[in-house]
Amino acid sequence: MPGPHDAAGIKMLLHDRNEIPRVHALGQAIPPGAHVFVGVKIVEVSNLPPPHGTCQDKTLEYEDVYSTEACQLDCLTKRAAAVCGCRSLFMPEKDGFPPICTLDEFYGCLHDVLDTFPTISEKLCDCPVPCKFRLYETDISYASTSAYSLNKFLNEDDKKNLSRKVLEGAEVTSRYEETQFSKVQYLYSQMINDIEIVRKRVLVNLKEIVNEALIGVNERYQEIKDHYIWKEYLYRYQAYILQKNFMRPRDAYEERTFHIVALGYAEYIMTIESRIRELANKNFTDGPTRQLWYEDTSDLLKNRERIIEIALINFTSLVEAYDTGIQIFNYKFFSTPRSHNIPAAPKLLIKESRVHNSYARKYGKRFGTYLQRTITILKFCQKLLDDAYFHTTLDEGNMTECRETFRYLMRNWVFARSVFYFDTINWPLKQIEDRQQRFDTQWNELKTMFANLNQSLTSLKTDIQLFEKNTFENIEVTRDSVEAYLNDTLTKLHISEIFTSVTFQQLLTKFDIFFQQIRSREKSLYDWLSQMQNDAYGIFKVIVLDEDSWEYYNFTGRTDYLGNISDIEGNLIENYTSVAESMQFSVCVNGSDSVLLSTLQDFVDEMTSYKDSLKIDSSFIKDNFLQVDIFYRQMSYEEIHQQEAYGMFSLWCDIGGTMGLFLGASFLSVVEIVDFILTHTTYQKKENKDQTKKQFL
């Protein structure tokens, strides 16, 4: 039902083949999916011409058979020829006249003629009813198409043939139906624009952004790496200084004196006591032997006293070195000049080792105190030796004090020495090693963050290249297919197969996943970069706030490490912010992927709808086909003749009736009397004639 109608189905009109059909006005609507039975009855009408009727069979100029519709069309054609000198396509012509109007003639003249003709046709045209015409009266009944009919209709041969015809029709419709074709054109232009935007933002701008981010991240890493290498070297240098210039003297003193101070102290004091007692024994009268024993024992006491005095001197040297942070030895660390040893030494840490806890404070003092007291008790023991030798006397109380005090002092000195070594001598090195370990841990965290950043950016760069080669180029191939359809080199079915294929759905999925990964990576990259910034700040903080290294920073000209940590943090934030700004992938993409994906999905929906419209099934048959059975209701037809309302026969009937009313006889009786008179008169004449003839004979 084309034209102003928006219904589905057909309009049917049964008419005489010589008549112009007025389907729009008189047609009967039949919907699809219906089985329609049309019963037909033929009626022939004969009208009276003037003076009794108004029918007339006129001769028309452009039509061979007269009808009212033909007459009006003939009149319109003559009007158009007279006014415009041309006609429209639907108007008749004779020997090529009038010719068909051009567009200028149509809109300049014929258009007004067509608009005004309905209002003046009654005056302008004389189109009476024809004297004879035929009508087709219809009686319509409806039924739904049965499943049996559908199955019968959908046999393989018919379905194959129908599919071919439907496809041919759909292809034509898709090109000549302006709405359908313009929609594909619109989607195609939109796709071209969206693809170009994605190309510019992803394949050009995003590549540049990733490269800039890679450069920025590597610059930040190399920058902090240089600082780490320098500081890590300093930590190792300081550990070397502690080991060689501070702890190595302790080891030397230990080898020389410290290990002898309490060596066999219990046996030693018992030997001293035994000899003193022997010398104090009055029965020991051998003068030379007594003198030998005295001198030997005195040497033992003086030697141990001398060893302890040297140990005390060595201890004092160690304490002075740790109290001042001035090294004892001066070893060289690789190629670093020895002049760097004093400024590089962690003086504050070394000094702190003497007082950092109660053990260091207490036993650092007791180390020397015990040695001094030992010297005193050895002198006391020497006095006891002198009394025993010279006076052969021995005070048991003094002997006990000598023995027990010496043993007490040695026993406690050994413990004090152990604590002094651990909490004072070894402590700075342990702190430096701990600092270096924490520094290395922080550096390893930064390296991990950098490795993640570098690997992710490199991988993203590779993914963009793969996206361009695989996904994006395939989308462009699809775009070229649509262009080929618009240029009439591919069918719509072909591109619908492309858009509805599993391969294209996978392509859209890859497209979507790629941009999801970009946004996901952007978040991960921001987190890693933020952590890398924190680690870099932590490394700078360790370097700048390391007071033990300030002297060496100044000595080596690294004044940048002597600045304010807040200023360094500000510069660090500024540098990393510029890198973070270069990784704003979502800002670069700016939703262009969603726009293109939406356009491609619109294409998929459009092509899916088109492809679905080509499916030949029971629903398609019900929506697009109907069955019409037309038959005669009876094997006869009806004739309608128009007659005069009052003729001669009616006049005689009225005369006869009137005579019968007034004379008491009918009109037939009068006729009979006249017939009798005439018959009788004729018979008499014949009889007289016969008699005359006989007489003559």
Side-chain angles (χ1 to χ4, degrees):
M1 299 185 192
H5 302 286
D6 58 1
I10 64 171
K11 292 192 77 172
M12 180 191 71
L13 175 66
L14 296 181
H15 62 91
D16 191 278
R17 61 187 175 189
N18 292 321
E19 293 182 359
I20 297 176
R22 292 189 295 164
V23 182
H24 176 69
L26 303 178
Q28 293 174 298
I30 300 176
H35 190 171
V36 182
F37 301 91
V38 182
V40 182
K41 178 182 178 181
I42 300 177
V43 178
E44 290 190 351
V45 179
S46 298
N47 292 321
L48 290 175
H52 303 291
T54 59
C55 75
Q56 187 177 358
D57 290 330
K58 297 175 62 178
T59 300
L60 301 177
E61 185 173 347
Y62 296 102
E63 293 288 348
D64 296 329
V65 179
Y66 178 82
S67 66
T68 304
E69 291 76 13
C71 175
Q72 290 178 343
L73 184 59
D74 186 82
C75 179
L76 175 60
T77 303
K78 289 190 288 185
R79 172 74 176 174
V83 175
C84 303
C86 60
R87 63 180 175 87
S88 185
L89 283 171
F90 67 90
M91 297 179 186
E93 51 84 22
K94 192 169 186 179
D95 298 331
F97 183 83
I100 298 174
C101 294
T102 62
L103 285 176
D104 289 338
E105 291 172 334
F106 178 84
Y107 287 105
C109 179
L110 186 60
H111 187 269
D112 293 335
V113 172
L114 296 176
D115 285 344
T116 58
F117 183 75
T119 59
I120 64 174
S121 60
E122 201 169 318
K123 296 180 180 179
L124 187 65
C125 306
D126 180 18
C127 296
V129 177
C131 293
K132 287 188 178 183
F133 59 91
R134 182 177 295 167
L135 298 176
Y136 294 86
E137 293 184 357
T138 56
D139 184 11
I140 299 180
S141 59
Y142 296 87
S144 298
T145 304
S146 66
Y148 173 78
S149 298
L150 293 176
N151 293 332
K152 183 179 178 182
F153 189 80
L154 290 174
N155 66 73
E156 287 302 322
D157 293 337
D158 289 342
K159 187 175 181 179
K160 184 177 181 180
N161 186 42
L162 180 60
S163 297
R164 179 180 57 79
K165 291 183 177 180
V166 168
L167 179 59
E168 292 175 355
E171 285 295 337
V172 174
T173 303
S174 67
R175 295 185 183 280
Y176 290 96
E177 182 67 33
E178 183 179 357
T179 304
Q180 294 186 32
F181 195 71
S182 61
K183 185 173 183 179
V184 176
Q185 287 179 316
Y186 169 77
L187 291 176
Y188 171 70
S189 62
Q190 194 69 30
M191 182 166 65
I192 291 178
N193 182 61
D194 297 344
I195 287 176
E196 189 58 34
I197 292 175
V198 171
R199 177 195 299 279
K200 182 178 179 181
R201 292 181 176 176
V202 178
L203 303 184
V204 178
N205 296 348
L206 190 57
K207 279 184 181 179
E208 294 178 356
I209 287 177
V210 173
N211 287 330
E212 290 176 4
L214 271 170
I215 294 172
V217 168
N218 278 274
E219 286 178 349
R220 300 285 78 78
Y221 173 74
Q222 193 59 48
E223 175 186 80
I224 197 65
K225 182 181 178 181
D226 294 339
H227 295 294
Y228 164 77
I229 291 174
W230 195 89
K231 183 61 176 176
E232 193 273 339
Y233 176 84
L234 180 57
Y235 273 134
R236 290 189 291 112
Y237 185 23
Q238 289 177 332
Y240 180 83
I241 290 173
L242 289 172
Q243 288 174 327
K244 295 297 184 179
N245 297 341
F246 287 88
M247 297 173 64
R248 181 69 184 87
R250 184 275 316 269
D251 296 338
Y253 296 155
E254 179 69 24
E255 293 173 0
R256 297 171 188 173
T257 58
F258 288 163
H259 79 286
I260 305 174
V261 170
L263 182 65
Y265 70 90
E267 293 82 3
Y268 172 80
I269 197 61
M270 288 178 67
T271 301
I272 297 297
E273 181 183 4
S274 175
R275 292 189 177 189
I276 291 174
R277 287 186 182 279
E278 285 290 333
L279 291 173
N281 188 351
K282 294 180 178 182
N283 296 324
F284 186 21
T285 59
D286 186 357
T289 304
R290 290 183 81 247
Q291 184 179 358
L292 181 62
W293 275 52
Y294 170 73
E295 291 176 354
D296 187 55
T297 304
S298 181
D299 289 341
L300 286 174
L301 289 172
K302 290 179 180 179
N303 288 338
R304 184 60 63 100
E305 182 181 346
R306 181 59 183 164
I307 289 171
I308 294 174
E309 287 176 350
I310 296 173
L312 186 59
I313 294 172
N314 291 338
F315 168 72
T316 304
S317 175
L318 277 175
V319 169
E320 183 180 356
Y322 275 79
D323 283 341
T324 61
I326 303 300
Q327 62 199 30
I328 298 174
F329 293 167
N330 194 21
Y331 282 90
K332 184 179 181 181
F333 182 65
F334 294 108
S335 60
T336 304
R338 285 185 174 87
S339 59
H340 287 229
N341 287 346
I342 292 177
K347 295 180 177 60
L348 295 177
L349 182 63
I350 294 172
K351 294 177 182 179
E352 187 183 358
S353 67
R354 295 274 290 123
V355 295
H356 70 93
N357 62 20
S358 60
Y359 285 93
R361 291 191 297 270
K362 182 192 301 184
Y363 290 98
K365 292 180 180 179
R366 288 184 179 182
F367 188 103
T369 301
Y370 288 145
L371 291 177
Q372 291 173 347
R373 289 178 62 187
T374 302
I375 293 172
T376 301
I377 200 64
L378 288 175
K379 290 181 181 295
F380 180 73
C381 292
Q382 179 68 43
K383 183 180 179 182
L384 292 179
L385 176 64
D386 291 343
D387 288 342
Y389 177 70
F390 291 109
H391 304 291
T392 319
T393 58
L394 178 63
D395 187 333
E396 288 294 336
N398 290 337
M399 188 70 244
T400 301
E401 181 181 355
C402 172
R403 180 185 68 246
E404 295 303 325
T405 301
F406 181 81
R407 292 172 65 181
Y408 168 79
L409 291 173
M410 288 296 97
R411 184 170 59 250
N412 284 278
W413 178 82
V414 170
F415 180 74
R417 181 186 64 175
S418 176
V419 173
F420 177 70
Y421 284 176
F422 181 81
D423 282 325
T424 299
I425 302 301
N426 297 339
W427 185 77
L429 179 61
K430 186 177 183 302
Q431 300 307 308
I432 290 294
E433 289 174 344
D434 289 344
R435 290 179 184 179
Q436 184 175 4
Q437 184 179 3
R438 291 193 297 270
F439 189 69
D440 288 341
T441 299
Q442 198 154 27
W443 168 249
N444 289 330
E445 290 179 357
L446 185 143
K447 279 203 307 182
T448 301
M449 293 303 105
F450 167 73
N452 291 339
L453 280 166
N454 191 65
Q455 181 180 359
S456 184
L457 288 169
T458 304
S459 176
L460 180 57
K461 188 176 180 180
T462 303
D463 289 345
I464 294 174
Q465 293 172 348
L466 292 175
F467 171 79
E468 179 180 12
K469 183 177 180 181
N470 299 331
T471 306
F472 196 76
E473 286 185 1
N474 288 333
I475 291 177
E476 290 182 320
V477 170
T478 305
R479 175 205 61 193
D480 295 340
S481 298
V482 179
E483 182 181 4
Y485 163 72
L486 295 175
N487 293 331
D488 202 18
T489 58
L490 282 181
T491 64
K492 192 171 184 179
L493 177 63
H494 183 85
I495 62 169
S496 69
E497 292 288 352
I498 295 175
F499 279 100
T500 58
S501 65
V502 176
T503 303
F504 190 75
Q505 287 300 322
Q506 293 173 345
L507 184 66
L508 295 185
T509 301
K510 289 180 181 178
F511 182 88
D512 190 32
I513 290 176
F514 172 76
F515 285 96
Q516 288 181 11
Q517 289 177 344
I518 285 180
R519 293 180 176 87
S520 175
R521 285 188 182 182
E522 181 180 1
K523 178 63 171 61
S524 300
L525 289 170
Y526 269 116
D527 293 341
W528 291 332
L529 184 65
S530 177
Q531 185 59 47
M532 183 176 172
Q533 177 184 332
N534 293 336
D535 292 335
Y537 175 69
I539 289 173
F540 270 112
K541 193 173 181 181
V542 169
I543 295 174
V544 172
L545 299 182
D546 186 4
E547 296 182 36
D548 284 304
S549 301
W550 286 354
E551 182 181 352
Y552 191 65
Y553 295 161
N554 191 59
F555 179 80
T556 55
R558 301 303 295 258
T559 55
D560 51 326
Y561 294 155
L562 298 173
N564 192 309
I565 188 64
S566 299
D567 296 337
I568 293 175
E569 182 183 14
N571 293 332
L572 199 68
I573 292 174
E574 183 178 350
N575 291 336
Y576 276 83
T577 300
S578 64
V579 178
E581 289 175 352
S582 69
M583 293 193 300
Q584 294 181 351
F585 306 142
S586 57
V587 175
C588 175
V589 175
N590 195 25
S592 58
D593 60 313
S594 300
V595 175
L596 177 56
L597 195 62
S598 177
T599 301
L600 295 175
Q601 190 58 51
D602 289 342
F603 251 120
V604 171
D605 295 340
E606 174 70 16
M607 295 306 153
T608 300
S609 176
Y610 174 77
K611 195 173 179 181
D612 289 342
S613 69
L614 303 178
K615 291 181 179 178
I616 308 299
D617 53 16
S618 58
S619 298
F620 176 83
I621 299 301
K622 288 182 178 181
D623 292 339
N624 295 278
F625 287 83
L626 55 89
Q627 183 174 348
V628 181
D629 291 339
I630 303 176
F631 56 91
Y632 289 110
R633 286 184 289 176
Q634 55 190 14
M635 298 306 296
S636 61
Y637 66 94
E638 180 180 347
E639 290 186 358
I640 299 176
H641 292 276
Q642 194 178 49
Q643 296 181 348
E644 298 89 340
Y646 194 79
M648 185 60 68
F649 180 76
S650 298
L651 176 62
W652 286 112
C653 288
D654 287 344
I655 293 174
T658 303
M659 291 178 61
L661 179 64
F662 290 100
L663 299 179
S666 64
F667 182 74
L668 183 58
S669 300
V670 176
V671 173
E672 289 177 347
I673 293 172
V674 173
D675 179 68
F676 174 76
I677 294 173
L678 291 175
T679 303
H680 183 70
T681 303
T682 304
Y683 178 75
Q684 286 293 333
K685 288 182 178 181
K686 184 177 179 181
E687 187 179 22
N688 292 332
K689 186 176 180 179
D690 290 339
Q691 289 179 1
T692 303
K693 186 176 179 180
K694 287 179 179 180
Q695 289 176 4
F696 179 75
L697 292 174

